[in-house]
Amino acid sequence: QVHLVESGGGLVLPGGSLRLSCAASGSIFSINAMGWYRQAPGKERELVATSGGSTNYADSVKGRFTISRDNAKNTVYLQMDSLKPEDTAVYYCYADLTTGWTQPWLDYWGQGTQVTVSS
């Protein structure tokens, strides 16, 4: 069993900041990439940022969001600055990991955390 638990969402004013955290736990052998997606009402889930062999950001968040990882804690963070109303969405973390030498690499997902940017 593998679990990803997100925290740090909430309501923030435009221009404000939030920091999301996602901790992976359970029968983890190795993690390749971790990252964040988001889904706004009526829209498809979209990539926000990933951290693996390289770091990648959606164009809409470059320069405002920063992804980081603490590999010792199997945790990924998303620092979100200069937030805009269009950043409002449910944010999901994921981890591309394996539970053993002979096990496949699979994507595991958190339950999501709501971020609302509004005055």
Side-chain angles (χ1 to χ4, degrees):
Q1 288 275 0
V2 174
H3 300 281
L4 273 66
V5 179
E6 299 125 334
S7 61
L11 173 64
V12 64
L13 294 170
S17 298
L18 281 176
R19 188 188 193 214
L20 305 183
S21 300
C22 173
S25 63
S27 302
I28 299 170
F29 180 75
S30 181
I31 298 177
N32 178 22
M34 298 185 78
W36 296 90
Y37 280 70
R38 67 186 180 186
Q39 188 166 20
K43 294 187 178 181
E44 295 186 353
R45 190 174 295 192
E46 64 174 358
L47 171 71
V48 177
T50 62
S51 177
S54 61
T55 299
N56 297 291
Y57 295 93
D59 288 342
S60 59
V61 307
K62 283 181 180 177
R64 300 187 298 120
F65 291 10
T66 303
I67 189 171
S68 61
R69 286 171 62 178
D70 184 335
N71 292 328
K73 296 181 179 179
N74 291 334
T75 299
V76 62
Y77 305 95
L78 186 67
Q79 177 66 40
M80 304 186 294
D81 298 318
S82 302
L83 282 161
K84 304 175 181 180
E86 50 264 44
D87 294 317
T88 296
V90 178
Y91 284 69
Y92 298 91
C93 75
Y94 83 94
D96 176 31
L97 62 86
T98 181
T99 58
W101 280 110
T102 61
Q103 300 304 308
W105 291 84
L106 298 173
D107 285 346
Y108 290 81
W109 293 87
Q111 79 286 355
T113 185
Q114 177 69 47
V115 172
T116 303
V117 185
S118 176
S119 56

